[in-house]
Amino acid sequence: MKGLSLLCAAIVMLTIMALPARCDTYVAGQVSGTWTLAGSPYMVVADIEIPYALTLTIQAGVTVKFTGQYKFIAHGTLTAAGSASDSILFTHHLPYPNYTWAGLFLEGTTGTTELGYCIFEWGYAQGVVGQPGAKGGAVHALNTSVNIHNSRFSNNKASVKGAAIYFNTAGGEISNCIITTNTCNGDGGGIFFDTAINPYVHDNTIMYNTAVNGGGLYYVYTAGVFEDNNVHHNAASSANGGGILLDHSSPVILKSFINNNTASGSYGVGIYCNHYSNPTILYNEICFNNHGAIYCGDNCSPQIDNNTVFGNLGYIIYTYLNSNPFGRNNIMMGNTSAFYVSSGCSIYMTYSDIQVSWSGTGNLNNVAPAFVDSYGGNFNLMPYSPCIDAGSPLAPLDPDGTVADMGAHYFDQNQPQGTCTITLTPFGAPIILPPQGGTVWYGVAIQNSPNYFNLFDGWITLQQPDGQIIPMILRTNIYLPAGAALARTISLTLNATAMPGTYTVTGYVGDHPTTIEDFDSFTFVKSPTGDGHSGEGASATIAG
């Protein structure tokens, strides 16, 4: 037995020796080559630098830990490409908020730097105004090209600009990233673009970031495209632009959700345009922001088309100092106030559903747009919305080939419709009412098919013993999403004068009265002694 134990111990030792070696690798000064998973974690004990003309590749799964407030400077080429299942982590070696590192500085790098499937946390760009080290808590890109994708930036800080990311005369792409809970003592809680070269920012979630100005993003002298992003719950802690702040900047802001942002100062917490900023704002939701949706100050005249602006506490659009925003095909409803037009300014809107009467061709004045669920945040249009095909006839057609709809989301008129089934369930069957009459209770259940919405009518009839059919209930334009169901409890009361005999209750779904998708029925009996006058004394009520 003792020999067997020694053999097992030897096998365990051999197994341990066969495992790949994993140990800390300490780095400082100039670095290049490849950082492998076997060498991880890499412990940074002083500032590190990729020299010009050299390359550093960081493999998936590597962890880079900074033991102090040290910088990672790249002049040469950096490639940090993790994977969906194995990210690269840049962090401080101690997991406490007051322990930070100085961020990644990409300064005139060779080629395009790739940062993919990376996690950046606890970076802190410290300093005062005028110091480069005070900008870009996690990534500071200067005069370079960067592709940042599928990465997460959290709990980073900056003293002056760009708590998570700062671009200065840099270009590239930021996509499919989560940028959250970063804090700047100056401008740009999530991203700051400073004279950036047409950055393409798309499919990101930018949330819960905080700065003095531009809680989510701050643009200055920058254009580019901002598309399919979700900007929510960011805050301008003591000034303007909780969501996006634009200064001398005119990007295309497209198909994004700019919702639930807050600001302490001024108006236009969703998008704040200042100093000759003329963005093109297309197909966005701008909803539930606390100081209004769009601010236009100092010669700002953005184009605002096909947006849904709803539930903002403040003005839809606030204009100041020679600003003249214009647009069409918008839904602007349910906000605390409509438009504020300062002296020397104007707001020109056409083919829009606006919560007040507003002059302009094709406008709907305070007409309910029929959203699927506005306060639940679903601003898709119901099939019977008056905003369908109500946009400008000169605007591009919707993807379904029909006239443009109003709002951020068009209703696809080419999609198939579902079909519904109806089931009537009498309670207490078989039901026999006494001669003096009584009440019949029954349940109605309607189920839509699983793949497509359905817009339909529902109706219920009562057939008397003499064969006469009496309409009892008709509900038109009932909407059910794919796979959805509804149920009601209904009561039918007959009094003593109703004729005796067998009654039939039938429920239908379809297009009243010509098209029937489905029907169901049940019968009940009233005992004799009624006077036989047909239909006398019958009533129906909905009770649930």
Side-chain angles (χ1 to χ4, degrees):
M1 195 71 178
K2 182 177 179 181
L4 181 61
S5 299
L6 291 173
L7 176 61
C8 291
I11 292 172
V12 170
M13 287 298 297
L14 287 171
T15 302
I16 293 173
M17 292 172 63
L19 292 174
R22 293 292 298 273
C23 59
D24 295 355
T25 302
Y26 292 87
V27 291
Q30 295 186 346
V31 294
S32 61
T34 300
W35 286 2
T36 65
L37 182 59
S40 180
Y42 287 80
M43 309 295 290
V44 180
V45 296
D47 287 351
I48 56 175
E49 176 191 6
I50 306 171
Y52 288 105
L54 294 183
T55 297
L56 175 64
T57 299
I58 303 178
Q59 293 183 343
V62 166
T63 295
V64 184
K65 293 185 175 182
F66 292 78
T67 62
Q69 191 65 20
Y70 303 130
K71 290 182 181 180
F72 185 169
I73 304 168
H75 296 297
T77 301
L78 171 63
T79 301
S83 67
S85 60
D86 218 358
S87 298
I88 297 170
L89 174 62
F90 296 87
T91 186
H92 194 274
H93 82 297
L94 296 176
Y96 307 113
N98 55 328
Y99 286 89
T100 59
W101 58 291
L104 170 61
F105 283 70
L106 307 171
E107 300 181 354
T109 58
T110 305
T112 297
T113 296
E114 180 184 4
L115 304 174
Y117 294 99
C118 295
I119 298 172
F120 291 88
E121 62 182 21
W122 307 117
Y124 189 7
Q126 299 185 40
V128 298
V129 175
Q131 292 181 334
K135 305 169 186 178
V139 174
H140 179 130
L142 172 64
N143 191 28
T144 189
S145 177
V146 191
N147 178 13
I148 305 173
H149 64 90
N150 300 100
S151 295
R152 181 181 180 90
F153 295 79
S154 61
N155 298 302
N156 300 287
K157 298 188 292 184
S159 297
V160 178
K161 295 178 180 179
I165 300 172
Y166 175 79
F167 274 30
N168 184 356
T169 57
E173 185 173 348
I174 303 173
S175 64
N176 296 290
C177 293
I178 297 174
I179 301 170
T180 183
T181 59
N182 303 285
T183 304
C184 186
N185 297 330
D187 302 329
I191 304 173
F192 192 106
F193 290 118
D194 187 351
T195 324
I197 304 169
N198 296 322
Y200 182 30
V201 183
H202 65 94
D203 297 288
N204 303 284
T205 297
I206 303 168
M207 60 183 181
Y208 297 104
N209 302 287
T210 304
V212 172
N213 289 286
L217 301 98
Y218 195 117
Y219 282 69
V220 60
Y221 291 105
T222 298
V225 175
F226 186 83
E227 181 176 9
D228 287 314
N229 298 288
N230 194 342
V231 181
H232 67 89
H233 292 96
N234 302 283
S237 57
S238 59
N240 307 312
I244 303 173
L245 190 148
L246 307 176
D247 185 358
H248 293 92
S249 297
S250 301
V252 176
I253 301 175
L254 176 66
K255 297 180 181 178
S256 292
F257 301 86
I258 306 168
N259 301 335
N260 294 290
N261 301 286
T262 61
S264 297
S266 201
Y267 304 90
V269 69
I271 302 175
Y272 189 97
C273 308
N274 203 17
H275 301 140
Y276 297 88
S277 293
N278 299 301
T280 303
I281 303 171
L282 307 174
Y283 298 99
N284 303 285
E285 285 184 14
I286 309 172
C287 304
F288 304 120
N289 300 289
N290 84 325
H291 269 182
I294 302 171
Y295 174 90
C296 304
D298 187 11
N299 293 277
C300 294
S301 299
Q303 177 183 344
I304 305 168
D305 290 355
N306 281 100
N307 298 280
T308 296
V309 184
F310 183 90
N312 297 282
L313 301 180
Y315 290 98
I316 299 168
I317 302 175
Y318 188 103
T319 60
Y320 176 73
L321 194 61
N322 301 318
S323 293
N324 301 281
F326 63 96
R328 61 187 180 183
N329 304 347
N330 299 288
I331 299 176
M332 298 174 162
M333 298 288 292
N335 305 280
T336 303
S337 303
F339 299 138
Y340 184 88
V341 183
S342 300
S343 177
C345 299
S346 66
I347 297 175
Y348 181 66
M349 285 289 150
T350 60
Y351 295 97
S352 296
D353 190 7
I354 303 172
Q355 65 189 60
V356 294
S357 179
W358 196 259
S359 62
T361 303
N363 285 335
L364 303 178
N365 295 319
N366 200 24
V367 175
F371 295 126
V372 171
D373 182 9
S374 56
Y375 284 98
N378 188 340
F379 296 103
N380 288 287
L381 299 175
M382 298 285 258
Y384 51 84
S385 169
C387 298
I388 295 173
D389 292 344
S392 170
L394 301 179
L397 298 178
D398 283 337
D400 61 4
T402 62
V403 174
D405 300 342
M406 295 177 178
H409 309 291
Y410 83 99
F411 181 84
D412 184 359
Q413 298 179 58
N414 290 334
Q415 63 181 304
Q417 236 179 270
T419 56
C420 285
T421 57
I422 185 170
T423 303
L424 304 187
T425 304
F427 302 149
I431 301 171
I432 301 175
L433 299 181
Q436 65 267 30
T439 298
V440 177
W441 290 88
Y442 61 98
V444 178
I446 299 174
Q447 175 70 54
N448 188 23
S449 52
N451 296 322
Y452 304 104
F453 82 93
N454 198 8
L455 181 67
F456 62 97
D457 304 327
W459 65 101
I460 296 175
T461 64
L462 176 67
Q463 181 174 328
Q464 299 188 139
D466 63 357
Q468 182 180 352
I469 296 175
I470 301 172
M472 290 199 301
I473 298 173
L474 171 63
R475 296 289 182 266
T476 59
N477 288 333
I478 303 171
Y479 173 82
L480 282 180
L486 62 82
R488 298 288 185 270
T489 299
I490 298 178
S491 63
L492 166 65
T493 301
L494 301 184
N495 65 19
T497 61
M499 69 173 60
T502 300
Y503 289 78
T504 301
V505 177
T506 305
Y508 302 88
V509 287
D511 186 6
H512 181 269
T514 57
T515 303
I516 297 172
E517 293 180 8
D518 191 36
F519 70 93
D520 193 21
S521 64
F522 69 91
T523 61
F524 66 92
V525 174
K526 181 178 182 289
S527 299
T529 68
D531 64 10
H533 288 70
S534 70
E536 195 171 277
S539 66
T541 58
I542 293 178

